[in-house]
Amino acid sequence: MTTLSRIERASLKEYEAAIERNREQMLSFLTKIRDERLYRETHATFEAYCQERWGLSRRQADREIAAADVIESLRPIGLKPPASESVCRPLAPLPPAAQRAVWADAVAAAPNGKPTARDTAAAV
């Protein structure tokens, strides 16, 4: 394990506090913690950090990060974003333009404009 600088430690605290306050921000900050390797002072791997700190397996953390990327990709179309990671999952492998088109179709076809994971998969 590697000691974090004072600035890195402050960044880690800031990101973790934001995650606790807001799940949507969690996904963005979890990506930053992974990419900047800010877990390294207390955990040997990102997987160990996610499991101990957030109760997430590495696979689930990766899914959550992919969902954050999908949600970010969908922002320009102005529709309400997917409600959960599982609703985003079918969109994740698609390029951003396809994600937006498929999501618009899923929203239009879903009851009350709130697609489920199954609705999104069918739209894909």
Side-chain angles (χ1 to χ4, degrees), residues 17-73:
I19 288 170
E20 289 173 346
R21 285 191 311 269
N22 185 329
R23 176 122 174 105
E24 184 177 325
Q25 283 186 324
M26 172 189 178
L27 304 177
S28 173
F29 286 115
L30 195 58
T31 302
K32 291 177 185 218
I33 290 168
R34 181 197 61 192
D35 293 350
E36 296 174 28
R37 296 177 12 110
L38 297 177
Y39 56 84
R40 70 186 188 276
E41 185 172 59
T42 56
H43 298 83
T45 64
F46 181 66
E47 179 177 7
Y49 168 78
C50 288
Q51 184 62 52
E52 184 178 315
R53 183 70 171 95
W54 306 110
L56 296 173
S57 68
R58 172 65 190 250
R59 184 175 186 163
Q60 188 60 35
D62 288 342
R63 285 179 178 162
E64 297 285 355
I65 290 167
D69 293 340
V70 168
I71 290 169
E72 189 60 33
S73 167

